[in-house]
PDB file of all heavy atoms in Angstrom:
ATOM      1  N   GLY A 237    -165.283 122.355 128.086  1.00 97.00           N
ATOM      2  CA  GLY A 237    -164.702 122.855 126.854  1.00 97.00           C
ATOM      3  C   GLY A 237    -163.619 121.972 126.262  1.00 97.00           C
ATOM      4  O   GLY A 237    -162.800 121.403 126.996  1.00 97.00           O
ATOM      5  N   GLY A 238    -163.664 121.896 124.928  1.00 97.00           N
ATOM      6  CA  GLY A 238    -162.713 121.038 124.219  1.00 97.00           C
ATOM      7  C   GLY A 238    -161.278 121.504 124.333  1.00 97.00           C
ATOM      8  O   GLY A 238    -160.349 120.710 124.220  1.00 97.00           O
ATOM      9  N   ALA A 239    -161.073 122.792 124.617  1.00 97.00           N
ATOM     10  CA  ALA A 239    -159.701 123.318 124.717  1.00 97.00           C
ATOM     11  C   ALA A 239    -158.944 122.657 125.864  1.00 97.00           C
ATOM     12  O   ALA A 239    -157.708 122.669 125.870  1.00 97.00           O
ATOM     13  CB  ALA A 239    -159.735 124.834 124.907  1.00 97.00           C
ATOM     14  N   LYS A 240    -159.678 122.105 126.812  1.00 98.00           N
ATOM     15  CA  LYS A 240    -159.033 121.479 127.974  1.00 98.00           C
ATOM     16  C   LYS A 240    -159.071 119.955 127.909  1.00 98.00           C
ATOM     17  O   LYS A 240    -158.604 119.278 128.826  1.00 98.00           O
ATOM     18  CB  LYS A 240    -159.696 121.966 129.264  1.00 98.00           C
ATOM     19  CG  LYS A 240    -159.601 123.479 129.445  1.00 98.00           C
ATOM     20  CD  LYS A 240    -160.271 123.934 130.702  1.00 98.00           C
ATOM     21  CE  LYS A 240    -160.177 125.438 130.864  1.00 98.00           C
ATOM     22  NZ  LYS A 240    -160.851 125.901 132.119  1.00 98.00           N
ATOM     23  N   ALA A 241    -159.601 119.420 126.822  1.00 98.00           N
ATOM     24  CA  ALA A 241    -159.724 117.950 126.714  1.00 98.00           C
ATOM     25  C   ALA A 241    -158.366 117.274 126.825  1.00 98.00           C
ATOM     26  O   ALA A 241    -158.229 116.223 127.456  1.00 98.00           O
ATOM     27  CB  ALA A 241    -160.399 117.579 125.398  1.00 98.00           C
ATOM     28  N   GLY A 242    -157.337 117.903 126.251  1.00 98.00           N
ATOM     29  CA  GLY A 242    -156.006 117.295 126.291  1.00 98.00           C
ATOM     30  C   GLY A 242    -155.457 117.227 127.699  1.00 98.00           C
ATOM     31  O   GLY A 242    -154.981 116.170 128.148  1.00 98.00           O
ATOM     32  N   VAL A 243    -155.566 118.335 128.444  1.00 97.00           N
ATOM     33  CA  VAL A 243    -154.994 118.322 129.805  1.00 97.00           C
ATOM     34  C   VAL A 243    -155.832 117.431 130.716  1.00 97.00           C
ATOM     35  O   VAL A 243    -155.297 116.804 131.640  1.00 97.00           O
ATOM     36  CB  VAL A 243    -154.835 119.743 130.390  1.00 97.00           C
ATOM     37  CG1 VAL A 243    -153.776 120.536 129.638  1.00 97.00           C
ATOM     38  CG2 VAL A 243    -156.128 120.515 130.446  1.00 97.00           C
ATOM     39  N   VAL A 244    -157.136 117.350 130.461  1.00 98.00           N
ATOM     40  CA  VAL A 244    -157.978 116.443 131.262  1.00 98.00           C
ATOM     41  C   VAL A 244    -157.524 114.998 131.050  1.00 98.00           C
ATOM     42  O   VAL A 244    -157.316 114.241 132.010  1.00 98.00           O
ATOM     43  CB  VAL A 244    -159.459 116.606 130.895  1.00 98.00           C
ATOM     44  CG1 VAL A 244    -160.307 115.465 131.460  1.00 98.00           C
ATOM     45  CG2 VAL A 244    -159.991 117.948 131.404  1.00 98.00           C
ATOM     46  N   ALA A 245    -157.312 114.614 129.812  1.00 97.00           N
ATOM     47  CA  ALA A 245    -156.881 113.231 129.528  1.00 97.00           C
ATOM     48  C   ALA A 245    -155.499 112.979 130.109  1.00 97.00           C
ATOM     49  O   ALA A 245    -155.243 111.926 130.714  1.00 97.00           O
ATOM     50  CB  ALA A 245    -156.885 112.997 128.024  1.00 97.00           C
ATOM     51  N   ARG A 246    -154.589 113.938 129.971  1.00 97.00           N
ATOM     52  CA  ARG A 246    -153.242 113.759 130.529  1.00 97.00           C
ATOM     53  C   ARG A 246    -153.299 113.638 132.047  1.00 97.00           C
ATOM     54  O   ARG A 246    -152.616 112.833 132.665  1.00 97.00           O
ATOM     55  CB  ARG A 246    -152.351 114.921 130.115  1.00 97.00           C
ATOM     56  CG  ARG A 246    -151.941 114.929 128.642  1.00 97.00           C
ATOM     57  CD  ARG A 246    -151.390 116.277 128.231  1.00 97.00           C
ATOM     58  NE  ARG A 246    -150.243 116.662 129.040  1.00 97.00           N
ATOM     59  CZ  ARG A 246    -149.773 117.921 129.112  1.00 97.00           C
ATOM     60  NH1 ARG A 246    -150.395 118.894 128.453  1.00 97.00           N
ATOM     61  NH2 ARG A 246    -148.706 118.215 129.848  1.00 97.00           N
ATOM     62  N   ALA A 247    -154.180 114.456 132.666  1.00 97.00           N
ATOM     63  CA  ALA A 247    -154.249 114.432 134.129  1.00 97.00           C
ATOM     64  C   ALA A 247    -154.835 113.119 134.638  1.00 97.00           C
ATOM     65  O   ALA A 247    -154.313 112.514 135.576  1.00 97.00           O
ATOM     66  CB  ALA A 247    -155.095 115.608 134.622  1.00 97.00           C
ATOM     67  N   LEU A 248    -155.920 112.659 133.994  1.00 97.00           N
ATOM     68  CA  LEU A 248    -156.646 111.494 134.504  1.00 97.00           C
ATOM     69  C   LEU A 248    -156.108 110.172 133.989  1.00 97.00           C
ATOM     70  O   LEU A 248    -156.328 109.126 134.602  1.00 97.00           O
ATOM     71  CB  LEU A 248    -158.141 111.626 134.165  1.00 97.00           C
ATOM     72  CG  LEU A 248    -158.887 112.719 134.933  1.00 97.00           C
ATOM     73  CD1 LEU A 248    -160.293 112.898 134.375  1.00 97.00           C
ATOM     74  CD2 LEU A 248    -158.934 112.394 136.424  1.00 97.00           C
ATOM     75  N   GLN A 249    -155.407 110.192 132.857  1.00 95.00           N
ATOM     76  CA  GLN A 249    -154.974 108.909 132.286  1.00 95.00           C
ATOM     77  C   GLN A 249    -153.490 108.888 131.927  1.00 95.00           C
ATOM     78  O   GLN A 249    -152.996 107.909 131.392  1.00 95.00           O
ATOM     79  CB  GLN A 249    -155.828 108.609 131.048  1.00 95.00           C
ATOM     80  CG  GLN A 249    -157.293 108.426 131.433  1.00 95.00           C
ATOM     81  CD  GLN A 249    -158.207 108.122 130.255  1.00 95.00           C
ATOM     82  OE1 GLN A 249    -157.888 108.422 129.093  1.00 95.00           O
ATOM     83  NE2 GLN A 249    -159.362 107.545 130.567  1.00 95.00           N
TER      84      GLN A 249
END
Side-chain angles (χ1 to χ4, degrees):
K240 300 179 180 180
V243 292
V244 167
R246 288 165 58 197
L248 290 172
Q249 296 180 338

